[in-house]
């Protein structure tokens, strides 16, 4: 019950977050964002058609660990290993293309605007279309993650996994069995190293014989490429996952598995397992149905545990986290501010009072000096002389008015 509750909660969170994504998210902030990314992918595809498979793998590995947050792009440091250095990611490539796209965007008045997570999503979409795959609109608005830990890379299905075990990885991400079969159809382009399937050529599950579900002719041809116990190779060669149309994004991968020409064990299992065989058969017969389903599944996968709104960040450099912003000085507390206001008022009052006292003292001094001056000049009649200077209301001095008629 707890596991079911966790899955339901995760699906609800995915739905809420994905609802904030929208097609044309950068139409106002960086109108040329998608065309700039498309141009970078086009230039790379013109000289290296294998970039489609490389970006598909990068996008898949990113979304299945902590969601589609570009955490796979972070470089390791001396103190911490990132997802990039996990075993399953050591053969992931295409990082330089993401760097080129980011650099072009930063130089096009879109500084710190387009996330690295959206660059991966858009670049993968464009590479699929260039290889002959479906063209589709993908919602954007993802933000970049703040964590990349090598120990988190545990949810990637291996090449020898069974269908049921593989679906146990896909289902918690909100993907259906049909989505899983569809997304594994990306193996219609790209290559794999011999180390991922060599046991099928020589000693399948300890039997000492090749895998009976692999076409004997294909197994013999692959042994010449990958080597044998008596003729080991010093390196680890690669072979095409689709032995027919290796660079074309079509439905031939499913036809290959029906004829026992799947290279990886999980690919071959899709055509043999009861739950997935009908889906494989349907896609093998209908290229349009496969491409439509693939576009829908890719959009769905690109919404896994996305960061939106104010979560995460928009990296300036896709390989490193942004440096922490300097913290502003804390505002003074109310208790600290109140005494300052009181002190200011007290100072003003004291200043006013001091000025008043000084003014009065100066005036008193002047008046006192004036009286001494009068007394010095008129020692006997200073008082009467001073009174005579002030007339009465009828225009006579007080001395005159006191006389009798």
């Amino acid at each position: 019950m707890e596991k079911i509750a966790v899955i339901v909660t995760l699906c609800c969170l995915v739905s809420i977050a994905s609802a904030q994504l929208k097609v044309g998210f950068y139409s106002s902030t960086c109108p040329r964002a998608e065309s700039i990314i498309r141009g970078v992918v086009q230039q790379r595809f013109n000289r290296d058609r294998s970039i489609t498979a490389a970006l598909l793998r990068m996008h898949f590995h990113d979304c299945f660990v902590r969601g589609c947050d570009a955490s796979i792009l972070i470089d390791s440091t001396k103190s911490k290993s990132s997802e990039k250095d996990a075993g399953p990611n050591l053969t992931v490539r295409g990082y330089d293309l993401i760097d080129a796209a980011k650099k072009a965007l930063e130089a096009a008045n879109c500084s710190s605007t387009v996330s690295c997570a959206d660059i991966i999503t858009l670049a993968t979409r464009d590479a699929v279309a260039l290889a002959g795959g479906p063209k589709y609109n993908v919602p954007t608005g993802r933000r970049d993650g703040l964590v990349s830990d090598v120990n988190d890379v545990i949810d990637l299905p291996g090449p020898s996994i069974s269908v049921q075990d593989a679906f146990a990885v896909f289902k918690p991400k909100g993907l259906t069995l049909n989505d899983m079969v569809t997304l594994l159809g990306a193996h219609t382009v790209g290559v794999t190293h011999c180390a991922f399937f060599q046991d099928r050529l020589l000693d399948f599950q300890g039997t000492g014989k090749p895998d009976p579900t692999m076409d004997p002719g294909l197994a013999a041809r692959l042994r010449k490429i990958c080597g044998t116990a008596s003729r080991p190779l010093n390196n680890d060669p690669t072979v095409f996952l689709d032995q027919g149309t290796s660079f074309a994004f079509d439905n031939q991968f499913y036809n290959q598995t029906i004829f026992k020409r799947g290279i990886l064990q999980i690919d071959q299992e899709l055509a043999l397992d009861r739950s997935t065989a009908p889906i494989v058969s349907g896609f093998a017969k209908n290229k349009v149905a496969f491409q439509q389903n693939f576009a829908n599944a890719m959009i769905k996968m690109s919404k896994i545990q996305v960061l939106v709104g104010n979560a995460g960040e928009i990296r300036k450099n896709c390989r490193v986290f942004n440096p922490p912003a300097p913290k502003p000085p804390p505002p003074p507390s109310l208790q600290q501010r109140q005494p300052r206001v009181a002190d200011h008022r007290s100072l003003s009052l004291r200043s006013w009072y001091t000025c008043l006292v000084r003014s009065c003292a100066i005036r008193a001094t002047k008046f006192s000096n004036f009286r001494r001056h009068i007394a010095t000049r008129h020692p006997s009649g200073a008082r009467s002389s001073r009174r005579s200077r002030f007339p009465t209301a009828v225009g006579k001095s007080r001395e005159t008015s006191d006389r009798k008629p």
Side-chain angles (χ1 to χ4, degrees), residues 224-241:
K224 292 181 181 180
I225 299 173
C226 299
T228 62
S230 60
R231 189 181 59 84
L233 301 178
N234 294 327
N235 56 357
D236 186 13
T238 60
V239 300
F240 289 111
L241 287 168

Side-chain angles (χ1 to χ4, degrees), residues 38-317:
R38 188 179 302 113
V40 173
V41 175
Q42 177 75 68
Q43 289 179 359
R44 181 63 175 272
F45 183 83
N46 290 343
R47 66 176 187 269
D48 178 15
R49 290 193 294 166
S50 69
I51 193 61
T52 300
L55 290 174
L56 279 164
R57 191 159 183 252
M58 178 192 292
H59 192 22
F60 178 82
H61 282 217
D62 181 48
C63 291
F64 268 63
V65 179
R66 302 188 67 87
C68 307
D69 64 349
S71 53
I72 195 174
L73 302 179
I74 295 295
D75 287 338
S76 295
T77 64
K78 293 181 179 180
S79 60
K80 189 174 182 61
S81 296
S82 66
E83 294 176 24
K84 189 179 286 187
D85 285 340
N89 291 337
L90 292 178
T91 52
V92 173
R93 60 189 182 87
Y95 300 116
D96 57 331
L97 183 146
I98 304 300
D99 292 338
K102 183 64 173 177
K103 183 178 180 180
L105 289 165
E106 292 291 309
N109 295 323
C110 298
S111 180
S112 300
T113 301
V114 182
S115 70
C116 301
D118 276 340
I119 293 175
I120 296 177
T121 303
L122 292 167
T124 303
R125 185 270 312 267
D126 295 336
V128 167
L130 289 170
K135 297 179 180 179
Y136 56 94
N137 291 322
V138 61
T140 46
R142 298 163 191 77
R143 290 174 66 83
D144 300 323
L146 301 173
V147 177
S148 182
D149 191 339
V150 66
N151 297 313
D152 289 337
V153 187
I154 56 176
D155 282 341
L156 295 175
S160 301
I161 198 171
S162 69
V163 169
Q164 297 308 315
D165 288 341
F167 187 50
V169 177
F170 279 74
K171 187 175 181 180
K173 308 297 183 184
L175 300 170
T176 66
L177 189 64
N178 188 83
D179 293 331
M180 184 186 79
V181 177
T182 304
L183 291 171
L184 288 176
H187 288 174
T188 192
V189 292
V191 299
T192 185
H193 288 265
C194 291
F196 291 125
F197 64 88
Q198 198 156 18
D199 62 317
R200 300 188 68 202
L201 308 178
L202 305 170
D203 186 16
F204 183 64
Q205 297 181 349
T207 62
K209 298 179 180 180
D211 185 350
T213 64
M214 178 180 280
D215 174 64
L218 174 63
R221 187 163 66 252
L222 293 176
R223 281 193 293 270
K224 292 181 181 180
I225 299 173
C226 299
T228 62
S230 60
R231 189 181 59 84
L233 301 178
N234 294 327
N235 56 357
D236 186 13
T238 60
V239 300
F240 289 111
L241 287 168
D242 182 346
Q243 294 287 301
T245 55
S246 305
F247 290 110
F249 199 93
D250 53 25
N251 63 334
Q252 287 306 302
F253 163 80
Y254 298 105
N255 284 298
Q256 296 284 327
T257 59
I258 290 175
F259 291 105
K260 297 184 177 182
R261 292 178 181 172
I263 303 298
L264 301 178
Q265 185 178 341
I266 181 59
D267 293 347
Q268 192 58 61
E269 289 289 335
L270 292 177
L272 300 174
D273 191 276
R274 280 185 177 183
S275 63
T276 54
I279 303 173
V280 170
S281 178
F283 288 158
K285 296 174 182 177
N286 193 332
K287 176 182 176 181
V288 174
F290 162 61
Q291 295 203 344
Q292 289 176 343
N293 276 266
F294 187 81
N296 294 333
M298 285 293 287
I299 294 172
K300 195 172 180 180
M301 185 187 78
S302 72
K303 296 179 180 179
I304 295 176
Q305 294 174 260
V306 293
L307 301 173
V308 294
N310 294 322
E313 65 182 8
I314 304 296
R315 286 184 213 140
K316 188 83 172 176
N317 179 348

